[in-house]
Amino acid sequence: MAEHTENSDSKGESLMEKITEKLHGDSSSSSSDSDTEKKPSSPKKPSSPPKSVKEKFFGLFGGKKPVHQIFGGGKPADVFLWRNKKISAGVLGVATAIWVLFELIEYHLLTLVCHISIFSLAALFLYSNAIAFINKSPPRIPEVHLPEDPFLQVASALRIEINRALALLRDIACGRELKKFLAVVTGLWVLSIVGSWCNFITLFYICFVLLHTLPVIYEKYDHKIDPFVEKVTIEIKKQYAVFDAKVLSKIPRGPLRDKKKA
């Protein structure tokens, strides 16, 4: 009889424990549900690519400097990148007018200079006589002096670039850099083909227009251009590796390379 009462007591205690556990579980689940309902789900941030992927390719110009600094960061860079639209449009318009005069109308430089000089002298002569006849006093025509500093800066910049080109050509002629030799020969060959299509003025005008359009397009759409350039660069490196293994590696080395390796 005592055992029966003990079993019934233990069963009652176990039943009560189950009921209390169920009640606690329901309350905790309901509280967690209410907490989740109170707290709105925060939008997931897009996962950024790892640094190794970002640092794998630095863009068309290396990616270390913006395009404005690559072009010098001064007034020429502002003109090429259309920081001041009026100045850039004016420069491009003057270049277009010069190209139309010399290429389409077939005006010659000496003829143009002479005609401009005749028109300027005639206008100043008539102006000075009209002022002297009306006011009876000699007119004041301002003196024009060209500053020295801009010409010296242009000459210095040209001298530096010419010296760099001569040093590069000297290194290529000595047979030290085969890649540079092939790149320069290919560039000169392409330039000769383009030169056979048009004259120097047209070629200069095309380069001038490209300088006013391509940097702006790249600065605006660099996130789309850089992956494409990366793919092209990888493909070129693969083709060059195949060409190097099949052709360039079989070319006998010159004496300068043997001395350098020794």
Side-chain angles (χ1 to χ4, degrees):
M1 188 72 182
E3 291 177 0
H4 182 70
T5 54
E6 288 177 0
N7 290 331
S8 61
D9 292 335
S10 62
K11 287 180 181 180
E13 290 176 359
S14 63
L15 182 61
M16 291 296 294
E17 287 176 359
K18 288 180 180 180
I19 292 170
T20 53
E21 286 177 2
K22 190 173 183 180
L23 290 174
H24 283 299
D26 292 336
S27 62
S28 61
S29 62
S30 62
S31 62
S32 62
D33 292 336
S34 63
D35 291 336
T36 54
E37 288 176 0
K38 289 180 182 178
K39 295 180 181 179
S41 60
S42 59
K44 293 183 179 180
K45 296 181 179 179
S47 59
S48 59
K51 289 185 177 179
S52 60
V53 177
K54 287 184 180 179
E55 296 175 355
K56 186 179 179 182
F57 185 69
F58 289 105
L60 186 60
F61 296 104
K64 298 178 181 178
K65 293 182 180 181
V67 183
H68 191 267
Q69 292 184 5
I70 292 172
F71 280 94
K75 292 182 179 180
D78 294 338
V79 173
F80 291 141
L81 296 176
W82 294 77
R83 295 290 190 264
N84 192 337
K85 294 183 179 179
K86 292 182 179 179
I87 296 176
S88 300
V91 171
L92 190 60
V94 170
T96 304
I98 292 173
W99 178 75
V100 168
L101 284 174
F102 289 112
E103 186 65 22
L104 298 182
I105 305 178
E106 296 182 355
Y107 226 66
H108 297 285
L109 180 62
L110 183 60
T111 307
L112 180 63
V113 171
C114 292
H115 287 177
I116 291 174
S117 300
I118 291 169
F119 178 78
S120 302
L121 287 174
L124 291 174
F125 182 78
L126 294 174
Y127 171 75
S128 60
N129 284 316
I131 291 296
F133 179 75
I134 295 171
N135 296 331
K136 296 182 180 180
S137 61
R140 293 180 180 178
I141 298 176
E143 296 182 359
V144 179
H145 294 285
L146 295 177
E148 185 179 0
D149 293 336
F151 290 95
L152 293 177
Q153 291 176 1
V154 171
S156 177
L158 286 176
R159 181 183 63 84
I160 293 172
E161 295 300 327
I162 290 172
N163 287 334
R164 286 180 182 176
L166 291 175
L168 178 63
L169 292 175
R170 181 179 178 278
D171 292 338
I172 293 171
C174 291
R176 296 176 183 175
E177 295 290 340
L178 185 58
K179 291 183 180 179
K180 290 182 179 180
F181 171 76
L182 293 176
V184 170
V185 170
T186 305
L188 291 175
W189 179 66
V190 172
L191 190 62
S192 66
I193 294 175
V194 175
S196 64
W197 295 342
C198 56
N199 55 14
F200 178 75
I201 296 175
T202 304
L203 182 61
F204 181 80
Y205 176 70
I206 291 171
C207 295
F208 193 80
V209 172
L210 291 177
L211 281 175
H212 278 77
T213 54
L214 293 182
V216 180
I217 294 172
Y218 176 76
E219 190 179 33
K220 191 174 182 180
Y221 301 103
D222 56 347
H223 59 284
K224 295 181 180 180
I225 297 174
D226 287 342
F228 176 74
V229 174
E230 182 181 9
K231 292 179 182 179
V232 173
T233 305
I234 293 172
E235 188 64 28
I236 290 173
K237 287 182 179 179
K238 288 181 181 179
Q239 297 299 328
Y240 179 79
V242 174
F243 181 71
D244 189 12
K246 292 183 178 180
V247 179
L248 298 181
S249 60
K250 298 179 181 180
I251 298 175
R253 304 296 181 181
L256 290 174
R257 291 206 169 194
D258 295 338
K259 290 180 181 179
K260 192 174 180 180
K261 288 182 178 180

